[in-house]
Amino acid sequence: MTNEEIHQYVINKIKFIRISKGLSQLEVCTKGNFSQSFYTHIESGKSQPSLMTIIRIAQVFEINPRDFFPENKEKSKADIKKEISLLLESL
């Protein structure tokens, strides 16, 4: 993923989690001590949240900050070797 794709993913995830938790933007701002315009800029993609802002939003949502980011689906060489070995053993 490119940096822009990751940024868009994080924004979408923040908005999705907020809505799924039944929170308004104002409630997130109040609980996280953000200005409403600042938070609106984050959700609209006009601002990129800092790591500390992501952590504060995660605290408001009561989740791990990692939940905002896509999973790394790349496999290590060791994992690939293990899979190949298992496949060969099953033959």
Side-chain angles (χ1 to χ4, degrees), residues 8-83:
Q8 191 61 51
Y9 183 93
V10 170
I11 291 168
N12 292 340
K13 196 74 169 194
I14 288 171
K15 188 172 184 177
F16 173 80
I17 293 171
R18 176 183 60 78
I19 291 168
S20 68
K21 293 202 171 263
L23 297 169
S24 68
Q25 288 184 344
L26 183 58
E27 289 171 311
V28 173
C29 294
T30 302
K31 291 179 180 184
N33 198 28
F34 303 113
S35 74
Q36 194 166 6
S37 63
F38 174 72
Y39 186 80
T40 301
H41 279 122
I42 290 172
E43 277 199 11
S44 67
K46 293 179 183 175
S47 293
Q48 290 190 359
S50 68
L51 181 56
M52 289 310 299
T53 299
I54 289 173
I55 290 169
R56 284 175 49 207
I57 294 170
Q59 289 170 340
V60 170
F61 294 164
E62 298 176 340
I63 63 170
N64 189 309
R66 278 187 262 173
D67 295 341
F68 292 128
F69 296 94
E71 291 182 32
N72 184 359
K73 295 186 179 184
E74 293 182 26
K75 295 182 181 181
S76 68
K77 286 183 182 181
D79 290 336
I80 294 170
K81 286 180 181 180
K82 187 184 295 183
E83 287 181 16

Side-chain angles (χ1 to χ4, degrees), residues 78-91:
D79 290 336
I80 294 170
K81 286 180 181 180
K82 187 184 295 183
E83 287 181 16
I84 291 171
S85 293
L86 290 171
L87 285 170
L88 291 173
E89 288 174 13
S90 69
L91 294 177

